[in-house]
Amino acid sequence: MTITTLSSRQFNQDASKAKKAAIAGPVFITDRGRPAHVLLTFEAYKKITGKPTKIADLLAMPGVEDIDFEIRQLNDLAQAADLS
């Protein structure tokens, strides 16, 4: 992950450069030399917000049909409780 730092002036003059840099990692935007904002891709934002992903969204991903998925058989099945 690459962290890029841009001044507000640099960001205002070349927003596309900041968007390209955000693909590699967060972009810190400074005001008077101090970090004021962070630019992230939407995917990076979703990762850090920790919102659960819906199974329907995962199944709708392009290329999902090519993912190998193996279901293991569970041998430790539930047993009746001994209440004696």
Side-chain angles (χ1 to χ4, degrees):
M1 172 174 49
T2 303
I3 298 174
T4 304
T5 303
L6 299 174
S7 69
S8 291
R9 180 179 300 228
Q10 290 170 315
F11 176 74
N12 288 333
Q13 291 175 348
D14 198 354
S16 64
K17 176 183 176 182
K19 290 193 300 186
K20 288 176 187 171
I23 294 170
V27 177
F28 295 163
I29 303 166
T30 62
D31 279 331
R32 298 189 175 118
R34 292 186 171 172
H37 304 280
V38 178
L39 179 66
L40 302 169
T41 62
F42 187 67
E43 292 301 317
Y45 170 77
K46 286 193 320 187
K47 281 183 184 177
I48 64 171
T49 57
K51 292 187 178 184
T53 305
K54 297 177 189 171
I55 188 72
D57 293 338
L58 294 173
L59 292 172
M61 290 186 336
V64 73
E65 61 275 358
D66 297 328
I67 297 174
D68 291 330
F69 181 69
E70 183 179 327
I71 300 174
R72 296 182 317 173
Q73 182 176 359
L74 298 177
N75 295 327
D76 55 341
L77 301 176
Q79 298 177 2
D82 182 11
L83 302 176
S84 56

